[in-house]
Amino acid sequence: MLLKDKVAVITGGAGLNGLGFATARLMASHGARVVVLDLARAEPAAAAAQIGGEHLGLVADVTDKASCDAAAAAVLKAFGRIDVLVNNAGITQPAKTCDITGADYDRILDVSLRGTLYMSQAVLPTMQLQQSGSIVCISSVSAQRGGGILGGPHYSAAKAGVLGLARAMAREFGPEGIRVNCITPGLIGTDIIKGKLTEEKKAEIAETIPLARLGRADDIGGACVFLASDLSLYCTGITLDVNGGMLIH
Ligand SMILES: NC(=O)c1ccc[n+]([C@@H]2O[C@H](COP(=O)([O-])OP(=O)(O)OC[C@H]3O[C@@H](n4cnc5c(N)ncnc54)[C@H](O)[C@@H]3O)[C@@H](O)[C@H]2O)c1
């Protein structure tokens, strides 16, 4: 029970095949009360109910500051504290540099980067009062190697921005007992890649990965539990690669 009595908020957590839901489920199994935040169409309340009746699902759009603030207030009302935030919501788009429109740029950066800022801003005052907290930001191997498999350059830029934002927040809030860390997943089999890669292509990619397979959502969930828990009490500003060895640097 690594997260006993902790309250953990996971953005983009309602997709049943996604990293966020796997993280929420694993955190709950370690004793956390979890709050699944997601867009209305993803039905966060139903996702939370699948984990158990004591958990909460809330509609929130991370690109909207008022929506983030309202969600944080609702979590406080329900559970009285916020110990963990996982900034997981993100969208991708395969595109070449010269084809990226202003609207594409806004859409992709807004969810990953602006969303990470707005949701962190929404929970930080509570963590400051508590003088403790752990924020985990989901970046991507795409930020490190200049493109993953599917995302365009604007996705790489959004995820690289998340690394910089998280490191700066780690420096700013460390003295108040608040840790901020990143995870850089490799290629994980979730809905984000659904229909975009043939089984043949996936097998081809797996051959280039030292651990010889694509990642599973629980691989990321486990890393999130570690960074949320007291096992990582002396870690802040780190980037934890969870990529099967796809990028070793
Ligand atoms: N799957 C991979 O290979 C991989 C690799 C590296 C990084 N990532 C990152 O991991 C995170 C989770 O991705 P996933 O693979 O589970 O994909 P996913 O599509 O299953 O999950 C993304 C979730 O974010 C939610 N979301 C989208 N816009 C939102 C908004 N404005 N407000 C709130 N929620 C919103 C979606 O409804 C969805 O539930 C993303 O940030 C993604 O970029 C994924």
Side-chain angles (χ1 to χ4, degrees), residues 156-207:
S156 299
K159 293 302 193 182
V162 168
L163 293 180
L165 175 62
R167 288 171 186 169
M169 291 195 296
R171 204 173 279 284
E172 183 176 344
F173 294 101
E176 295 181 85
I178 301 163
R179 302 183 294 111
V180 188
N181 293 293
C182 282
I183 294 173
T184 40
L187 187 61
I188 318 291
T190 67
D191 289 348
I192 220 170
I193 67 166
K194 207 170 165 184
K196 294 183 180 134
L197 290 175
T198 62
E199 288 307 313
E200 229 169 40
K201 183 73 191 162
K202 283 190 209 167
E204 218 174 89
I205 294 168
E207 272 181 30

Side-chain angles (χ1 to χ4, degrees), residues 11-15 17-20 37-39 41-42 60-63 87-92 111-112 138-141 155 159 184-193:
T11 72
N17 301 316
L19 309 185
L37 298 191
D38 213 312
L39 299 173
R41 63 167 184 258
D61 178 346
V62 297
T63 68
N87 284 310
N88 167 74
I91 55 173
T92 190
V111 180
S112 277
I138 306 298
S139 173
S140 170
V141 70
Y155 177 75
K159 293 302 193 182
T184 40
L187 187 61
I188 318 291
T190 67
D191 289 348
I192 220 170
I193 67 166

Side-chain angles (χ1 to χ4, degrees), residues 33-144:
R33 278 168 296 169
V34 299
V35 184
V36 171
L37 298 191
D38 213 312
L39 299 173
R41 63 167 184 258
E43 301 186 13
Q50 282 218 15
I51 301 173
E54 66 277 37
H55 306 291
L56 188 63
L58 295 173
V59 171
D61 178 346
V62 297
T63 68
D64 181 76
K65 187 155 170 50
S67 176
C68 293
D69 290 342
V75 177
L76 272 186
K77 191 165 176 227
F79 295 139
R81 54 185 298 116
I82 303 173
D83 299 289
V84 177
L85 167 66
V86 183
N87 284 310
N88 167 74
I91 55 173
T92 190
Q93 179 191 27
K96 299 278 185 208
T97 302
C98 291
D99 298 331
I100 297 167
T101 66
D104 293 336
Y105 178 94
D106 287 346
R107 210 162 48 82
I108 300 299
L109 271 87
D110 275 358
V111 180
S112 277
L113 187 51
R114 187 188 295 271
T116 295
L117 175 67
Y118 283 171
M119 240 356 264
S120 301
Q121 287 175 329
V123 304
L124 275 163
T126 300
M127 291 182 172
Q128 284 177 299
L129 282 176
Q130 295 168 181
Q131 289 283 290
S132 73
S134 171
I135 299 179
V136 182
C137 302
I138 306 298
S139 173
S140 170
V141 70
S142 170
Q144 299 163 305

